[in-house]
């Protein structure tokens, strides 16, 4: 069930919110858990038991770690099981496909197998489960005494499918004691945030996506000339940003409506002056998770410079394959990891002498190059796109995007880069904070109602609605 | 600070109302909402069962159902269409082509003029042959038949069509209908030709800017020609009319702005000034009992007053040989209630009236039925 659907907005959400407000405090967690499991069972009914069963294993392993000399063994088992779960569902198909390809090269008979379906949200909830085990192991948090509360942390519907990735320590206290933040002010703020996210998705990302998909459709891609390819890639860069950050905003907003405060996931990533900064602004919760649970355990930057680079590269390689089991995501991770190393070696020193606008443009250009790898699974396609981007060619059959597409593209660029002015960045981020000023409240209220009606109107006529990050 | 909190609480309640009421309205339809023009293709129903849920078949069905049946859907669709039209200069409707200076065309007519959707030649030949048989039979009983080829706006206003739609090939449904019908020496009233001749001199638009059909003025001009032709071929004095006072208005009536409806906008696109003549009966003459068969073009004769002025109240119109109109009203009668044998003997005139995209569906069943009727006599 996607947040930007009628069934979610007009059935699931009101039922969940109204019943949540009506039930006594004691029943609130059970109620949210019930709705979360229904939410998950809607999209992946066959995998609910896997979610519950694997959470049960985590729950008892974590309990067993406390004051236990074998806690290292238990954490190893827990992390291994979770990684194995992810590997089985996400990477087994890819692995066997490649083994079969190799066998075919040597004239050996292929391995016959039935492909494994990918449970939605597995990349996200597996990382959350690992964070729980590690946080308990490190003693940062105490293990949950109630399985219902632990399962709630794993399956909390606002962030279950596509994040933000919530570390256990971020929400541990909120699971049992968030009632202070359950007030009209927070809920109002949550609604505002949800509607802004909905607008990013419905009014911007979907409009761009329709044209991008049309441009890069198999039947059209070879007809594209240089200008169309650049327009398509610019649109894709904004599509993915508004799609994913829109989803995160909706998740954060929904969390606030039921008293949870989730970490921020985006902060004007395209105004970054280098790729290092980009990763502090893009999918921030993945970056934080990777840092806490992978980069630091690998040694971080405490060892030699060479080791630090290897760690960095490893983290980004894993980030790449976390997104999807295919070579293009690996290449995308390697591309970003390599630029990060170049940043540390000389790139930041070199570019920091330039005007800030130029630095932003260079960084944006690099992310755009990366998005080509992210967008096209097929090597022949991304090679073609690169060749068209950097050699002049006219469209064979001109595609004529609508006025609306160009208007939204310009608007998207404006919204994506407006944070370059520090005042704007502070002011817009401030809009998400609970504010009691009457002027701000009136502004937010009017914006909220107007945008919500526009979004629902657009949703009602449009057929295009998938979230990019749902497939991860 | 307190007022802000009150406002926030109010918005919270308002938001809950906004997300709750459309679902309830969708199910109960308590409030009457003006529906949209056009159709939502019916979806194959998926029953809720453990299997359909586990196989993920029920969920997409419910998602679509929730979307198609959301309360106040017409308002939401119209709002989106209006934004696209007013801000992005784009008309969303799949049925309507937006031409230059906001002239609207129905897609089917433009495509027919462009030679698309050609009807099977055998079908048209069969219709023409059967009509010829009916015509001969009527003539033998001193009755008349006229086949009216209704105008096509795309042919009438090619200058306002989008540039990519102005090439009309020689072969089209119109050319085929004309060839086959004239080949059988059928009495044809070709309004495409008449309108083309009248276009330069017409005092008022013969087809409205936002209408698909002939305007009320245009249909009155054709009514005049029709009645003159009927009188010229009749031995007796028949009831005819003269055009009396002509009222002009910027507000469209009857079908003059029907494409605005199909565009599903919140606010109509202005149609300009259109004329509404009053048909005044001339003294004397016998009112004709008419059997009409055809498409919506004939309905304009009910709107402009021709049917009431010149035809008997028991005249029938068989809309697509399906819905029955008696006089100017939809009748409770079904086709099965009508004694066609008696009708054939009783009517004075058979009028066939259809535009080029509808010729086959409008006439095929009628001609089949009447051919059998005549052959069995």
């Amino acid at each position: 069930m996607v947040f930007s659907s009628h069934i979610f907005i007009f059935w699931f959400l009101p039922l969940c919110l109204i019943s949540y407000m009506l039930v006594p405090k004691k029943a609130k967690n059970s109620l949210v858990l019930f709705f979360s499991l229904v939410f998950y069972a809607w999209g992946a009914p066959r995998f609910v038991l896997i979610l519950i069963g694997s959470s049960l294993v985590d729950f008892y392993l974590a309990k067993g770690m406390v004051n236990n000399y074998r806690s290292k063994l238990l954490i190893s088992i827990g992390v291994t099981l979770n990684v194995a779960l992810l590997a089985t569902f996400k990477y087994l198909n890819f692995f066997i496909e490649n083994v079969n390809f190799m066998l075919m090269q040597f004239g050996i008979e292929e391995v016959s197998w039935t492909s494994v379906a990918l449970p939605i949200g597995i990349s996200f909830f597996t990382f959350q489960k690992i964070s729980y085990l590690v946080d308990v192991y490190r003693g940062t948090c105490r293990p949950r005494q109630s399985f219902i509360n632990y399962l709630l942390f794993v399956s909390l519907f606002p962030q279950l499918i596509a994040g933000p990735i919530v570390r256990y320590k971020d929400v541990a206290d909120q699971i049992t004691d968030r009632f202070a933040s359950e007030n009209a002010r927070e809920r109002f703020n949550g609604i505002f945030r949800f509607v802004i996210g909905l607008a990013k998705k419905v009014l911007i990302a979907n409009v761009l996506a329709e044209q991008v998909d049309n441009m890069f459709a198999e039947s059209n891609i070879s007809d594209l000339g240089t200008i169309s390819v650049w327009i398509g890639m610019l649109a894709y860069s904004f599509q993915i940003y508004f799609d994913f950050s829109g989803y995160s905003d909706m998740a954060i907003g929904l969390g606030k409506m039921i008293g949870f405060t989730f970490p921020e996931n985006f902060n004007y990533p395209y105004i970054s002056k280098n790729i290092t900064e980009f990763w502090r602004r893009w999918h921030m919760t993945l970056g934080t998770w990777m840092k806490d649970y992978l980069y630091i355990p690998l040694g971080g930057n405490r060892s030699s410079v060479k080791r630090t680079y290897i760690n960095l590269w490893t983290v980004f390689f894993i980030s790449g394959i976390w997104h999807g089991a295919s070579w293009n995501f690996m290449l995308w991770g390697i591309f970003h990891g390599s630029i990060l190393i170049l940043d540390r070696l000389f790139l930041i020193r070199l570019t920091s002498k330039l005007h800030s606008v130029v630095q932003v443009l260079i960084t944006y250009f690099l992310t755009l190059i990366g998005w080509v790898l992210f967008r096209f699974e097929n090597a022949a396609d991304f090679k073609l796109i690169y060749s068209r981007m950097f050699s002049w060619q006219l469209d064979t059959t001109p595609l004529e995007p609508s006025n609306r597409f160009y208007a939204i593209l310009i608007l998207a660029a404006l919204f994506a880069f407006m944070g370059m002015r520090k005042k704007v960045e502070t002011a817009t981020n401030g809009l998400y904070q609970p504010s009691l000023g009457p002027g701000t409240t009136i502004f937010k209220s009017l914006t909220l109602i107007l945008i919500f009606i526009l979004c629902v109107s657009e949703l009602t006529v449009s057929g295009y609605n998938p979230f990019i990050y749902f497939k991860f | 600070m307190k007022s802000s909190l009150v406002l926030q609480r109010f918005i919270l309640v308002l938001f809950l109302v906004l997300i709750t009421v459309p679902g309830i309205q969708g199910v109960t339809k308590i409030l009457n909402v003006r529906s949209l023009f056009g159709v939502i293709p019916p979806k194959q129903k998926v029953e809720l069962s453990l299997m359909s849920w586990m196989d993920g078949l029920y969920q997409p069905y419910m998602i679509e159902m929730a979307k198609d049946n959301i309360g106040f859907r017409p308002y939401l669709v119209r709002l989106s269409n209006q934004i696209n039209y007013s801000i992005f200069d784009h008309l969303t409707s799949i049925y309507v082509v937006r031409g230059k200076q906001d002239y609207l065309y129905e897609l089917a007519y433009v495509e027919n003029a462009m030679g698309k959707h050609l009807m099977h030649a055998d079908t048209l030949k069969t219709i023409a042959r059967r009509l010829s048989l009916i015509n001969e039979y009527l003539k033998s009983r001193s009755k008349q038949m006229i086949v009216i080829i209704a105008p096509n706006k795309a042919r009438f206003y090619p200058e306002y069509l989008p540039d990519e739609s102005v090439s009309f090939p020689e072969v089209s449904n119109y050319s085929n209908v004309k060839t086959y019908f004239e080949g059988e020496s059928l009495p044809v009233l070709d309004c495409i030709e008449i309108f083309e001749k009248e276009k330069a001199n017409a005092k008022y638009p013969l087809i409205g800017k936002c209408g698909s059909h002939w305007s009320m003025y245009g249909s009155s001009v054709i009514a005049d020609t029709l009645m003159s032709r009927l009188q010229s071929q009749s031995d007796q004095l028949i009831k005819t009319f003269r055009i009396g006072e002509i009222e002009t208005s910027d507000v469209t009536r009857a079908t003059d702005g029907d494409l605005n409806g199909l565009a599903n906008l919140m606010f109509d696109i202005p149609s300009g000034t259109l004329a509404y003549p009053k048909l005044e009966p001339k003294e004397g003459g016998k009112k004709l009992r008419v059997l009409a068969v055809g498409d919506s073009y004939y309905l304009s004769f009910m709107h402009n007053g021709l049917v009431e002025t010149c035809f008997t109240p028991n005249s029938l119109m068989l809309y697509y040989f399906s819905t029955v109109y008696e006089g100017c009203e939809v009748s409770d009668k079904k086709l099965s209630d009508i004694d066609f044998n008696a009708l054939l003997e009783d009517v004075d005139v058979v009028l066939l009236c259809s535009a080029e995209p509808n010729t086959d569906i409008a006439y095929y069943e009628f001609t089949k039925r009447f051919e059998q009727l005549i052959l069995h006599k």
Side-chain angles (χ1 to χ4, degrees), chain B residues 165-180:
Chain B
S165 312
V166 286
S167 129
F168 297 162
E170 277 185 18
V171 177
S172 65
N173 284 325
Y174 168 59
S175 68
N176 287 342
V177 166
K178 267 210 100 175
T179 307
Y180 299 134

Side-chain angles (χ1 to χ4, degrees), chain A residues 42 46 404 435-436 457 462, chain B residues 4 8 55 59 67 76:
Chain A
W42 181 269
R46 292 186 188 279
R404 183 170 174 238
S435 163
L436 282 178
S457 164
S462 81
Chain B
S4 296
Q8 286 172 0
D55 291 344
Q59 294 88 326
K67 184 178 173 183
L76 296 169

